[in-house]
Amino acid sequence: MSVIVEKNQRLRAGIIKHLYYKKSLSLTDLSKLTQKSLPLVTAVVNNLITEGYIIEEGFAPSTGGRRAAMFLINPNLKKYIVAIAMDQLTSRLTIYDLSRTMVTPIRTLEFELSSKESNIGDLVNFINTSIDQSEINRTDILGVGIGMPGFVNADEGINHSFLKVKEGTTLQNYLSSKINLPVYIDNDSSLIALAELNFGEAVNLKDVMVVNIGWGTGLGMIVNGKLYRGSSGSAGEFSHIPLSNSDNLCSCGRRGCLEVDTSLLVMAKRAEEAIAGGAESSMKKLFEDKSKHPADHFLYAVSQQDPVAISVLAKAIFQLGKGVATLIHLLNPQCIVLSGRGAKVGKMLLPPIQQAIHEFCIPRIAEQTKIKLSTLTDEAELLAAGSLIVEYNQFD
């Protein structure tokens, strides 16, 4: 491939990527975002229109001069992305088109990552069956993006914590060979941070910490407008800061980690213990329903303002707030976004977080950081898992 063809291919992929993230852009917008000349961008956009990737639709609001034409990815384009969000207990799968429209319902697989009983073959069968039942032609699927917990090296396609495969291959390559599609993997909290950066509360911000409140406790770090991974890809292990008041053993094998006080699994367990100790709560009946995880029942009880659930949440989130105070002192971010599954309870998270910040932060520094609630909540990881395909695909 000649240098000119390769550069045009990168520009082509870049234009599609920016339209995927921003939905609708003018030629001038695309020129600025790609840092390429307007005539070159116009030529590539025209080619993409001819191929059916892009359509022109409407005009930008008037600013006093001629209104700019706006372009977006063709909503009728038959190109699809499989997005998978894995946590410690369940895996969720959906399929998006390039307009970020969910074209299949979310399917769920009970799959406990840390269990020796969990077989990677079950995950492969789940993915293949979901694709087959969607009745989408595999030739129209661009790839599979997967977010998962653990120490994930996204560049090498390896998860050092879970889903070990035979020596000589990587998890990414193994899954790709079994699914017969390109596969890309990344850490779940990193992906949630990317979702907030591209679609959520961190859009147009430079320095943002995104706290993933889930079965575990995670952190994605946006520094200077980009995901910060650290020297070896392990930056953001927020959950293992030794801030716990208890001596409980963490999943990492050490004691004192923040996660042993702040994960949804811990909150649900404490709620169950409170009820066993005689506390009156609506959760007593909810927990009898075994079709859902106790943590999901716990979140529902919080949303219904159950006093016991709120008390448990407040104590856990206050501890999380101590960790947030540490982040504020170390990194002085513009914003901290509370995201992930736990963000479903919305404003209930704010009082204990703010209390901890007031108690443990230097006021002048704390005042410079906004605390925001995610509006993406548990779709954040699915959206960002799908965007992995857009990041890596050349659209040739």
Side-chain angles (χ1 to χ4, degrees):
M1 183 183 293
S2 72
V3 173
I4 293 175
V5 171
E6 187 176 345
K7 286 183 178 178
N8 281 345
Q9 191 64 50
R10 284 201 301 268
L11 176 56
R12 172 192 173 93
I15 287 170
I16 293 172
K17 180 175 75 173
H18 288 302
L19 288 172
Y20 177 82
Y21 289 135
K22 303 294 185 181
K23 288 282 192 180
S24 180
L25 293 167
S26 69
L27 292 171
T28 301
D29 294 331
L30 288 166
S31 177
K32 289 177 180 177
L33 288 166
T34 59
Q35 298 183 326
K36 300 297 181 183
S37 70
L38 189 57
L40 181 56
V41 167
T42 302
V44 174
V45 166
N46 286 336
N47 286 337
L48 287 168
I49 290 173
T50 301
E51 295 172 27
Y53 268 93
I54 291 175
I55 60 171
E56 181 180 337
E57 186 173 84
F59 296 89
S62 176
T63 56
R66 184 179 177 183
R67 294 168 67 194
M70 302 300 288
F71 298 86
L72 69 158
I73 292 175
N74 184 353
N76 296 317
L77 180 68
K78 294 189 181 301
K79 295 292 181 183
Y80 303 98
I81 291 167
V82 179
I84 301 171
M86 301 183 71
D87 59 35
Q88 285 89 340
L89 302 175
T90 60
S91 297
R92 294 173 296 133
L93 179 152
T94 192
I95 300 178
Y96 293 100
D97 64 18
L98 281 182
S99 296
R100 297 205 323 262
T101 300
M102 198 180 286
V103 298
T104 65
I106 296 174
R107 296 170 60 93
T108 302
L109 170 71
E110 299 301 319
F111 189 84
E112 190 171 347
L113 275 173
S114 59
S115 172
K116 293 180 180 177
E117 303 301 317
S118 295
N119 188 329
I120 193 170
D122 294 336
L123 177 63
V124 170
N125 290 338
F126 170 64
I127 297 170
N128 280 326
T129 300
S130 299
I131 293 171
D132 292 342
Q133 292 181 350
S134 75
E135 298 185 352
I136 294 172
N137 195 318
R138 282 185 188 243
T139 59
D140 294 328
I141 295 176
L142 299 172
V144 179
I146 306 176
M148 55 181 64
F151 292 105
V152 179
N153 186 317
D155 291 333
E156 296 179 6
I158 298 170
N159 189 331
H160 293 287
S161 305
F162 303 110
L163 298 179
K164 306 297 183 188
V165 293
K166 62 183 179 181
E167 195 171 340
T169 188
T170 66
L171 175 61
Q172 180 172 296
N173 289 340
Y174 176 84
L175 290 172
S176 182
S177 68
K178 297 297 182 181
I179 300 165
N180 201 27
L181 285 168
V183 173
Y184 299 97
I185 67 172
D186 207 338
N187 171 266
D188 56 346
S189 294
S190 294
L191 284 180
I192 286 171
L194 285 173
E196 297 294 344
L197 178 65
N198 291 316
F199 313 119
E201 296 299 323
V203 170
N204 297 326
L205 298 181
K206 292 289 187 182
D207 299 297
V208 183
M209 303 293 108
V210 180
V211 179
N212 175 16
I213 304 170
W215 300 139
T217 303
L219 178 71
M221 307 171 70
I222 305 298
V223 177
N224 198 26
K226 296 180 180 179
L227 183 67
Y228 179 74
R229 296 184 184 275
S231 61
S232 62
S234 299
E237 283 301 319
F238 179 57
S239 60
H240 302 297
I241 295 175
L243 285 176
S244 173
N245 293 326
S246 76
D247 195 39
N248 293 338
L249 190 68
C250 179
S251 59
C252 72
R254 291 172 173 77
R255 300 183 188 275
C257 295
L258 183 65
E259 183 168 298
V260 302
D261 288 333
T262 59
S263 76
L264 290 178
L265 293 178
V266 169
M267 292 186 219
K269 183 179 178 182
R270 287 182 177 167
E272 289 177 309
E273 289 170 352
I275 292 168
E280 288 297 325
S281 167
S282 63
M283 289 183 289
K284 185 174 183 179
K285 186 169 182 60
L286 288 171
F287 286 152
E288 292 175 1
D289 176 8
K290 303 303 180 183
S291 67
K292 293 184 179 179
H293 192 278
D296 287 320
H297 290 311
F298 170 77
L299 287 175
Y300 176 76
V302 171
S303 71
Q304 299 301 302
Q305 300 189 17
D306 179 279
V308 175
I310 290 173
S311 175
V312 170
L313 180 85
K315 290 176 182 177
I317 300 302
F318 179 78
Q319 284 297 109
L320 187 72
K322 292 172 73 173
V324 167
T326 302
L327 294 177
I328 290 172
H329 282 140
L330 285 175
L331 298 161
N332 186 214
Q334 294 168 279
C335 176
I336 288 176
V337 180
L338 306 178
S339 190
R341 186 185 294 262
K344 284 180 179 179
V345 299
K347 292 181 180 180
M348 304 294 289
L349 297 171
L350 293 178
I353 285 276
Q354 295 288 6
Q355 181 186 351
I357 289 172
H358 291 319
E359 189 169 333
F360 298 108
C361 259
I362 296 170
R364 191 164 64 87
I365 298 175
E367 288 165 4
Q368 298 169 6
T369 301
K370 291 182 179 179
I371 308 296
K372 291 186 176 184
L373 293 167
S374 172
T375 56
L376 302 175
T377 60
D378 56 353
E379 196 189 348
E381 189 181 349
L382 282 169
L383 280 169
S387 67
L388 282 174
I389 306 305
V390 179
E391 289 289 336
Y392 288 103
N393 200 288
Q394 293 303 304
F395 297 99
D396 47 15

